[in-house]
């Protein structure tokens, strides 16, 4: 690991009635030897997953990101349409987030995030997208190619796609057409869903039962902790629950599961959503999913009782901590978020310290 040890932050805990933290052994988990690092799998996409990874790499070197592959906008969408490949953009962002804080890591993070500016066909393409797609074509193996990019960057963890086939996100949206505010339409494409002015009712994937990448399923089943979110709720977080093999693994794993909530509603996709409503729509898409912890920024929660009730339906405790940047922007501070994760991992039954 590189980077400083996260400063421990004050973390407020709300535990559902009748529930207490239990040792890993008591709930069937594998006990860890003192001094070993936790195996952590983070699921999501886009900037939300990047924020989580930037925090998690500060507290463990055994980290795997499982990334959505439904993006159809920008450079990723163009490469997907032209070459028939998985959209590489969210995979690239995850790799950049796993780069170290030394000169090597930060230089490569900037390089793969660099976008060409021109008046021609290269305009807007990210270097990392082209590198990833080139290795896919050279090696014919998504996982092997991403592992090779990670090795080149010195990434502090592994990046995997959740499925090996490009996926289309579709949503049922009420009021997508402002002139028909009561009508429910099917909206197609992640980019369109993310920016809809209407109210998203539900989402699904096409194909409806996409195969999960086996390495992603194996990572979830072998993890000590699985982290879901933060991120675009309908287009980056919930899609993982729509891949049957991945959902089965999330429900069967002996790992503890933490859901990290967003700092603020996302314009368009979750406009007006309270923290508890995020949980409610998650539950509608995966009614059998159990959680152990729901993490939220304490300043973003205005009705703690309602959030506690919503978390209780998943069997989860609520942890409130200051995890936002101090500049007022709705972005996570990586060190504060790392400190919150670190406290959660220690408080909820895993053997520590790991560092």
């Amino acid at each position: 690991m590189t980077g400083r040890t996260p400063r421990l932050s004050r973390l407020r805990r709300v535990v559902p009635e009748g529930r207490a933290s239990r040792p890993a052994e008591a709930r069937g988990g594998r006990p860890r030897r003192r001094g070993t690092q936790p195996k952590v799998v983070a699921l999501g996409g886009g900037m939300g997953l990047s924020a989580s990874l930037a925090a998690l790499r500060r507290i463990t070197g055994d980290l795997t990101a499982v990334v959505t592959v439904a993006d159809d906008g920008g450079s990723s969408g163009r490469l997907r349409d032209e070459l028939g490949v998985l959209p590489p953009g969210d995979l690239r962002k995850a790799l950049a987030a796993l780069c170290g804080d030394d000169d090597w890591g930060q230089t490569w993070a900037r390089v793969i995030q660099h976008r060409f500016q021109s008046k021609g066909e290269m305009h807007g393409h990210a270097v990392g997208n082209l590198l990833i797609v080139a290795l896919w074509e050279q090696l014919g193996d998504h996982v092997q190619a991403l592992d090779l990019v990670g090795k080149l960057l010195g990434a502090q963890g592994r990046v995997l796609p959740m499925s090996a086939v490009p996926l289309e996100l579709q949503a049922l949206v009420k009021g997508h057409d402002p002139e028909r505010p009561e009508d429910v339409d099917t909206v197609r494409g992640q980019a369109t869903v993310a920016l809809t002015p209407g109210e998203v009712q539900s989402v699904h994937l096409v194909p409806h039962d996409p195969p999960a990448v086996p390495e992603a399923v194996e990572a979830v089943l072998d993890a000590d902790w699985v982290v879901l979110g933060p991120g675009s709720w309908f287009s980056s977080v919930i899609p993982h629950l729509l891949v049957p093999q991945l959902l089965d693994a999330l429900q069967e794993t002996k790992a503890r599961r933490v859901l990290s909530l967003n700092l603020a509603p996302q314009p368009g996709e979750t406009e007006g959503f309270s923290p508890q409503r995020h949980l409610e729509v998650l539950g509608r898409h995966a009614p059998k999913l159990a959680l152990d912890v729901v993490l939220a920024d304490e300043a973003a929660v205005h009705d703690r009782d309602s959030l506690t009730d919503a978390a209780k339906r998943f069997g989860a405790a609520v942890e409130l901590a200051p995890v936002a940047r101090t500049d007022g922007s709705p972005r996570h501070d990586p060190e504060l978020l790392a400190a919150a994760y670190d406290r959660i991992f220690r408080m909820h039954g895993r053997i520590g310290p790991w560092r």
Side-chain angles (χ1 to χ4, degrees), residues 58 217 337:
R58 286 167 159 78
V217 172
L337 185 57

Side-chain angles (χ1 to χ4, degrees), residues 11 26 32 43 62 112 126 202 215 227 275 297:
L11 186 145
R32 301 300 251 165
L43 290 79
D62 198 337
I112 66 170
S202 63
E215 291 86 349
V227 177
D297 183 76

Side-chain angles (χ1 to χ4, degrees), residues 327-339:
D327 59 6
S329 64
R331 297 183 299 159
H332 287 85
D333 180 286
E335 288 197 6
L336 290 176
L337 185 57

Side-chain angles (χ1 to χ4, degrees), residues 58 67 131 183 214 240 334:
R58 286 167 159 78
V67 185
L131 175 62
D183 289 359
H240 289 84

Side-chain angles (χ1 to χ4, degrees), residues 288-333:
K288 296 181 180 180
L289 180 66
L291 300 170
D292 292 277
V293 181
V294 173
L295 171 64
D297 183 76
E298 59 185 7
V301 178
H302 305 295
D303 186 346
R304 295 176 182 176
D305 289 342
S306 294
L307 179 58
T308 300
D309 289 342
K312 192 183 300 185
R313 298 187 186 103
F314 291 86
V318 172
E319 300 287 3
L320 302 179
V323 293
R325 293 181 183 267
T326 57
D327 59 6
S329 64
R331 297 183 299 159
H332 287 85
D333 180 286

Side-chain angles (χ1 to χ4, degrees), residues 114-346:
H114 175 77
R115 290 185 184 273
F116 295 104
Q117 303 294 320
S118 74
K119 297 181 180 179
E121 294 296 322
M122 288 295 293
H123 179 74
H125 275 306
V127 171
N129 288 355
L130 302 177
L131 175 62
I132 291 169
V133 172
L135 282 167
W136 282 342
E137 292 191 345
Q138 286 286 316
L139 302 177
D141 185 304
H142 293 102
V143 172
Q144 184 182 357
L146 289 166
D147 284 345
L148 190 57
V149 177
K151 184 176 181 181
L152 171 67
L153 305 181
Q156 298 170 30
R158 193 181 195 193
V159 174
L160 301 169
M162 70 177 186
S163 178
V165 299
L167 304 174
E168 180 183 76
L169 186 73
Q170 296 187 359
L172 294 178
V173 181
K174 181 180 179 180
H176 179 68
D177 183 348
E179 296 184 359
R180 297 183 290 111
E182 297 301 317
D183 289 359
V184 176
D185 297 310
T186 298
V187 176
R188 295 174 172 83
Q190 184 182 38
T192 305
V193 171
L195 297 176
T196 180
E199 179 183 336
V200 179
Q201 307 282 299
S202 63
V203 291
H204 61 272
L205 296 174
V206 177
H208 290 278
D209 55 349
V213 167
E215 291 86 349
V217 172
E218 181 181 352
V220 170
L221 292 174
D222 194 43
D224 294 310
W225 278 91
V226 176
V227 177
L228 184 63
S232 299
W233 216 243
F234 288 104
S235 52
S236 292
V237 177
I238 290 177
H240 289 84
L241 309 178
L242 306 178
V243 178
Q245 294 166 317
L246 198 52
L247 177 59
D248 288 345
L250 284 167
Q251 293 175 160
E252 294 171 8
T253 183
K254 293 179 180 178
R256 288 187 178 269
R257 289 153 288 208
V258 56
L259 177 70
S260 186
L261 293 176
N262 294 333
L263 297 172
Q266 182 177 347
E269 188 172 318
T270 54
E271 186 73 42
F273 274 34
S274 63
Q276 54 268 27
R277 190 172 178 190
H278 283 78
L279 284 174
E280 290 164 3
V281 298
L282 190 82
R284 290 205 301 268
H285 287 83
K288 296 181 180 180
L289 180 66
L291 300 170
D292 292 277
V293 181
V294 173
L295 171 64
D297 183 76
E298 59 185 7
V301 178
H302 305 295
D303 186 346
R304 295 176 182 176
D305 289 342
S306 294
L307 179 58
T308 300
D309 289 342
K312 192 183 300 185
R313 298 187 186 103
F314 291 86
V318 172
E319 300 287 3
L320 302 179
V323 293
R325 293 181 183 267
T326 57
D327 59 6
S329 64
R331 297 183 299 159
H332 287 85
D333 180 286
E335 288 197 6
L336 290 176
L337 185 57
Y341 283 144
D342 187 69
R343 284 288 302 275
I344 287 170
F345 292 174
R346 294 171 186 273

